[in-house]
Amino acid sequence: MAEAAGRPPARRPDPRDPMRPPDLPVLLRWTRFPSDPHGTGPEKRSAQIAALCRRAGFAVADMQPPVSVPRGRTLLAGLAARWRFGRRASLVARSIGLLGYQANFYREALARHEGRRLLLWETTYDRLLPAMARAAGFRVIALPHNLEALVSEAVFADAGYDPLPDLAAEVSRLSLADAIHVIAREEQWFLETQRQTSRYLPYFPVPELAAEYADLRRRREARARADGTVDGPLLLLGSAFNPATGRGMDLQLGWLAGASPAAGVVVAGPETDVRLAAHRAPGVSLLGRVPAARLHELFVECSALLIHTSGGAGAVTRIPEALLAGIPVIANENAARDRHDVPGVHVYASPEEFQALVKRPLPIPPGPTAPRAAEAALAADLLRLSNLTPD
């Protein structure tokens, strides 16, 4: 259920990935994340999208950035891209050299692709790729993991940063897509205010992972009391080096010091044992990174999962997974985005409301169902837009 910490460097997917069976028509995809259903939040989202493509009858070929490009070529390509698209050609490639590297990478990947002329655009940080894809005869489906301008490094690193110009640029570049599928209702609503129609595709784990959470739910139900609650410690889970996650965990641990939960508190996730060491006290276990088997034990034993994010994109993967596992969630309003009024999600707006919730016995919630209508809408767009040009 861990979320990614900021924007990682591009990773080269394993070419042996079974995501590309030879008997299916192939779609081209640009994502900076490997499709790993057991990985970070972005990796799980990429895995979900790849699985939905396979269900619709398509294989996915992930674009792989080159290791190096001759310096002269990158400078010329960068100047050309800057001249054509302006200073906001890319959210991350501000220098001419980086912009040229991107332009070369995109041009070569589009030219090499021998499958359907449809691009799945997950890493929506620039307008270069959709513009170049359309010029090469591709149609484009945008599948942004978030509205990226609101979760960029600058949001967390610079208190004076104003994200609105970058947000306007992001809205502009999304308009280059033939279809847009977003992860949260709030993003769908916002884009509609900007006269852009999008479809809502919430996160739901791939069947393999959903089955694991169903097994955890059965184990929790077996140990539940007569009132449907599980008597165990509160669980804080996340990567403490992620600014939004780390700040939220720090706040909640401070508030818990005044609540004194009887069963204690367990904190798990990368660097939680180091960055949150000031909260080490009787009844508070700071475990740091834990293996998957131990994490599953914590899911079975805990009474509730605590999530607090200030800034960032909320907990759009952790919350549905917790609910599938039968774990009630106590979250602030930002973390609970897209999941307000969902059974099992208990939202607070103040420290006092938080302290009251952690003292209440919370029953095992009903599990969410797969968003079949949203999945069908994506499949329809894949079929409609991929059939314009045959293999």
Side-chain angles (χ1 to χ4, degrees):
M1 296 182 195
E3 304 287 346
R7 185 173 294 130
R11 297 178 61 178
R12 296 173 66 87
D14 187 340
R16 298 167 298 177
D17 193 331
M19 189 167 54
R20 299 184 58 185
D23 57 334
L24 295 179
V26 181
L27 307 179
L28 187 64
R29 179 171 71 163
W30 173 223
T31 176
R32 293 169 69 96
F33 305 101
S35 294
D36 183 356
H38 296 91
T40 63
E43 291 167 351
K44 291 176 177 181
R45 178 62 165 179
S46 287
Q48 176 197 12
I49 291 168
L52 292 177
C53 289
R54 287 196 297 275
R55 187 188 301 171
F58 298 95
V60 174
D62 283 340
M63 297 166 59
Q64 299 188 32
V67 175
S68 63
V69 178
R71 180 176 175 82
R73 191 192 307 172
T74 62
L75 290 175
L76 288 174
L79 288 170
R82 179 67 59 83
W83 175 80
R84 182 174 180 183
F85 300 106
R87 296 190 60 82
R88 292 196 173 275
S90 173
L91 182 65
V92 293
R94 301 297 195 190
S95 75
I96 293 293
L98 284 175
L99 195 60
Y101 175 89
Q102 277 189 330
N104 273 294
F105 161 42
Y106 295 159
R107 182 176 61 250
E108 292 176 3
L110 292 166
R112 284 196 305 267
H113 181 64
E114 296 179 351
R116 298 293 173 90
R117 311 298 278 181
L118 177 60
L119 171 71
L120 304 180
W121 184 35
E122 288 184 34
T123 299
T124 56
Y125 304 162
D126 64 78
R127 62 190 307 115
L128 280 177
L129 180 56
M132 294 176 71
R134 293 177 72 88
F138 283 71
R139 304 303 291 268
V140 178
I141 296 180
L143 295 145
H145 288 197
N146 303 287
L147 288 179
E148 299 297 339
L150 301 181
V151 296
S152 71
E153 288 89 343
V155 171
F156 306 114
D158 182 359
Y161 166 73
D162 178 5
L164 291 181
D166 279 340
L167 185 60
E170 183 168 6
V171 170
S172 174
R173 63 180 177 264
L174 285 174
S175 69
L176 297 175
D178 297 280
I180 307 170
H181 292 256
V182 294
I183 199 168
R185 290 284 191 195
E186 294 89 346
E187 295 179 354
Q188 185 184 35
W189 168 84
F190 174 75
L191 290 176
E192 192 66 35
T193 69
Q194 306 303 302
R195 299 184 179 144
Q196 287 191 24
T197 297
S198 62
R199 300 301 296 260
Y200 171 52
L201 180 66
Y203 170 73
F204 196 84
V206 301
E208 163 197 353
L209 188 57
E212 292 181 19
Y213 288 127
D215 180 64
L216 296 177
R217 168 181 286 273
R218 287 189 289 269
R219 292 167 60 187
R220 285 180 60 80
E221 290 172 341
R223 64 177 291 154
R225 298 181 293 194
D227 61 357
T229 65
V230 173
D231 185 16
L234 297 164
L235 175 62
L236 273 77
L237 176 66
S239 300
F241 57 78
N242 180 312
T245 302
R247 282 198 303 266
M249 299 174 91
D250 182 71
L251 275 175
Q252 287 185 324
L253 286 168
W255 296 338
L256 285 168
S260 302
V265 183
V266 174
V267 186
E271 299 192 19
T272 52
D273 53 337
V274 176
R275 296 185 182 241
L276 301 171
H279 295 286
R280 198 178 300 277
V284 178
S285 300
L286 303 176
L287 303 184
R289 186 188 296 272
V290 297
R294 176 60 178 137
L295 192 57
H296 283 184
E297 291 175 4
L298 295 175
F299 292 161
V300 173
E301 298 166 358
C302 72
S303 59
L305 177 68
L306 310 182
I307 309 175
H308 184 111
T309 57
S310 51
V316 289
T317 58
R318 274 184 286 169
I319 289 179
E321 290 179 348
L323 297 178
L324 279 172
I327 305 171
V329 175
I330 299 174
N332 73 321
E333 293 171 312
N334 179 275
R337 80 161 183 145
D338 195 49
R339 298 288 166 168
H340 286 263
D341 301 320
V342 171
V345 180
H346 306 271
V347 182
Y348 62 88
S350 69
E352 294 75 22
E353 291 179 7
F354 171 79
Q355 291 172 334
L357 280 171
V358 299
K359 294 177 181 178
R360 280 175 48 191
L362 301 175
I364 292 175
T369 58
R372 296 304 185 200
E375 294 171 351
L378 175 62
D381 276 344
L382 293 173
L383 292 167
R384 174 175 61 89
L385 295 172
S386 67
N387 285 332
L388 295 178
T389 304
D391 287 344

